[in-house]
Amino acid sequence: QVQLVESGGGLVQAGGSLRLSCAASARTGDRYSMGWFRQAPGKERDFVAAISSSGGVTYYADSVKGRFAISRDNAKNTVYLQMNSLKPEDTAVYYCAAELNPFVVARSKDEYDYWGQGTQVTVSS
C-alpha cells in the first residue's frame, strides 16, 4: 500500500507559477511510474503529465506542454509538477498517482493503482 500526499496548490494570477509536490509513504524509486492528473468541476479527470520510475521518460498533455515540467527525487520519494505560465483554464484539483508497473508510463487514469487526495489550484484572470 502506498499513500500519496499532494501539496503546493493555491491561488495564483494568470501568468504565475506554482510547484506541486507529491510525497509517497513508501519507496517508489524503481517500483512506480508516477503521474499527475487534474479534474475541473463537472469534468472528467484528465491526464497532465507522467514520469517513468527512473525519471528518464516523461509525457505531457498537449495543453500543458512547454509550460509544465514533471520531475522526481527518488531519494525523497517525491514527485513534482512545476507549473509556469498558468492560465485560468488550468484551474482544477490536481491529483498525483502511482502505477505499480515501472515499465509502463501510462496516460490513462485507469492504469494507476494509488491516488492522492488532491490539491486545489486556482488561476485568476
Side-chain angles (χ1 to χ4, degrees):
Q1 187 77 10
V2 176
Q3 292 182 325
L4 304 172
V5 179
E6 302 97 334
S7 61
L11 174 64
V12 64
Q13 287 189 330
S17 298
L18 283 174
R19 188 175 83 153
L20 305 183
S21 299
C22 173
S25 62
R27 173 183 162 191
T28 57
D30 58 353
R31 299 179 181 179
Y32 302 97
S33 299
M34 302 291 293
W36 285 97
F37 291 76
R38 65 187 182 187
Q39 188 167 18
K43 295 190 175 181
E44 295 285 320
R45 188 171 297 188
D46 292 331
F47 170 75
V48 175
I51 189 166
S52 64
S53 56
S54 67
V57 176
T58 57
Y59 293 117
Y60 296 93
D62 288 343
S63 58
V64 307
K65 207 171 290 183
R67 300 188 298 123
F68 290 12
I70 188 172
S71 62
R72 66 191 297 163
D73 184 339
N74 287 339
K76 296 181 179 179
N77 296 322
T78 301
V79 176
Y80 305 97
L81 185 68
Q82 178 67 43
M83 305 186 295
N84 300 324
S85 302
L86 282 161
K87 304 175 181 180
E89 51 263 44
D90 294 318
T91 295
V93 177
Y94 283 70
Y95 298 89
C96 74
E99 179 186 3
L100 281 174
N101 188 341
F103 303 107
V104 175
V105 186
R107 281 158 278 196
S108 168
K109 60 182 182 293
D110 296 332
E111 298 289 332
Y112 285 83
D113 302 286
Y114 300 106
W115 292 84
Q117 83 290 347
T119 185
Q120 176 71 47
V121 171
T122 303
V123 184
S124 63
S125 57

